[in-house]
Amino acid sequence: MTDRLNIGVLVSGSGSNLQAIMDGCTNDTIPGRVTVVVSNKDGVFALERARNAGLPAVVINHDRYGGREYFEKALAEVLEQHGVQLICLAGFMRILSPWFIRYFSGRILNIHPALLPAFPGLHVQKRALEMGVRFSGATVHFVDDGVDTGPIVIQAVVPILPDDDVDTLSARILVQEHRIYPLAVRWFAQKRLRLVNGKVQLDAGLEHEREMTLAADKAWIHPPAS
Ligand code: GAR
């Protein structure tokens, strides 16, 4: 048990990505354990998911602190108390300061429902549909102090279908999020993924697996070329 990675998950909403990470730890695909779940909002379903799993679920409501500095100090303290070695942002809708990012340097991952660097920020699926892009998807990246920026670890491509609306597209992207986030966390926990001088480093085995996938399927073309 001792060399399992201690993971802290930050949430603001429904927590389906939190669930995917907790499930990965329970079924042993991730050699880690979620030691604490922190929400910046009361009453969100993610907290219930954490409590149902018997995990500490802490609310640190940003509104109750006199500024981001105090909110983040409280957050860092809770994460330290629970021995967190990797922080996973899972629908956590606060921007973290350079101080916080440096404090946990190379140890914060985020998931975003778009193919970054396209469509950072909010209302992502709506904007993708409005722009008429043919592909969207999901991205897991290390976090820097921008909005949904930082070195990219893994992406899943999701084609946009003619009848898509925000709900149908979001649902299909979410399915992919639940595939790629636990995978990135697994690699990190296995020490096969790290951030070195601001760049993502995957171990040689993983680069090989990626090349094999690309060799089999060089590109996705959508709509299909006839
Ligand atoms: C997910 O789609 C996640 O990618 C997105 O919030 C949703 C949270 O869902 N995150 C962002 O937009 C970050 N910029 P969940 O609470 O069910 O995991």
Side-chain angles (χ1 to χ4, degrees):
M1 269 316 253
T2 46
D3 56 359
R4 291 180 84 86
L5 185 81
N6 288 342
I7 302 165
V9 186
L10 307 191
V11 296
S12 307
S14 105
S16 68
N17 280 288
L18 160 70
Q19 189 69 54
I21 293 168
M22 291 191 304
D23 291 349
C25 293
T26 311
N27 68 26
D28 256 353
T29 52
I30 298 172
R33 59 182 160 222
V34 176
T35 56
V36 67
V37 175
V38 183
S39 172
N40 65 313
K41 279 188 180 169
D42 282 307
V44 295
F45 188 53
L47 290 164
E48 210 170 306
R49 292 184 194 264
R51 291 184 192 118
N52 287 342
L55 298 174
V58 179
V59 178
I60 304 180
N61 190 329
H62 58 274
D63 287 335
R64 298 205 189 114
Y65 288 79
R68 183 160 76 166
E69 191 188 332
Y70 299 103
F71 165 70
E72 289 189 350
K73 287 254 156 67
L75 183 57
E77 206 171 293
V78 167
L79 294 168
E80 293 286 18
Q81 276 163 7
H82 290 85
V84 166
Q85 297 164 295
L86 172 70
I87 298 170
C88 292
L89 309 187
F92 181 67
M93 296 307 195
R94 300 297 299 171
I95 294 161
L96 296 165
S97 71
W99 171 80
F100 190 93
I101 306 295
R102 260 198 311 278
Y103 192 82
F104 291 100
S105 171
R107 298 190 288 143
I108 313 176
L109 291 174
N110 181 42
I111 181 114
H112 184 74
L115 292 176
L116 293 171
F119 302 111
L122 298 173
H123 312 300
V124 170
Q125 293 90 346
K126 181 168 179 282
R127 283 158 51 213
L129 288 167
E130 281 167 4
M131 290 301 289
V133 295
R134 297 300 187 169
F135 294 104
S136 190
T139 303
V140 177
H141 64 99
F142 281 101
V143 173
D144 66 14
D145 51 19
V147 177
D148 298 314
T149 58
I152 290 170
V153 176
I154 183 170
Q155 294 185 305
V157 177
V158 175
I160 291 180
L161 305 178
D163 294 335
D164 263 338
D165 57 28
V166 170
D167 291 339
T168 57
L169 178 60
S170 303
R172 283 206 321 289
I173 291 175
L174 209 51
V175 171
Q176 299 308 318
E177 293 186 38
H178 300 159
R179 290 178 66 199
I180 64 173
Y181 210 2
L183 202 54
V185 176
R186 168 189 164 87
W187 292 340
F188 189 93
Q190 291 173 326
K191 301 188 171 47
R192 300 164 82 196
L193 160 68
R194 63 202 75 81
L195 193 64
V196 181
N197 298 327
K199 289 212 178 330
V200 169
Q201 205 176 71
L202 296 175
D203 85 358
L206 287 176
E207 289 292 1
H208 180 67
E209 278 171 38
R210 192 162 66 164
E211 272 164 36
M212 299 289 284
T213 314
L214 289 177
D217 188 1
K218 281 202 174 58
W220 292 272
I221 299 173
H222 177 71
S226 53

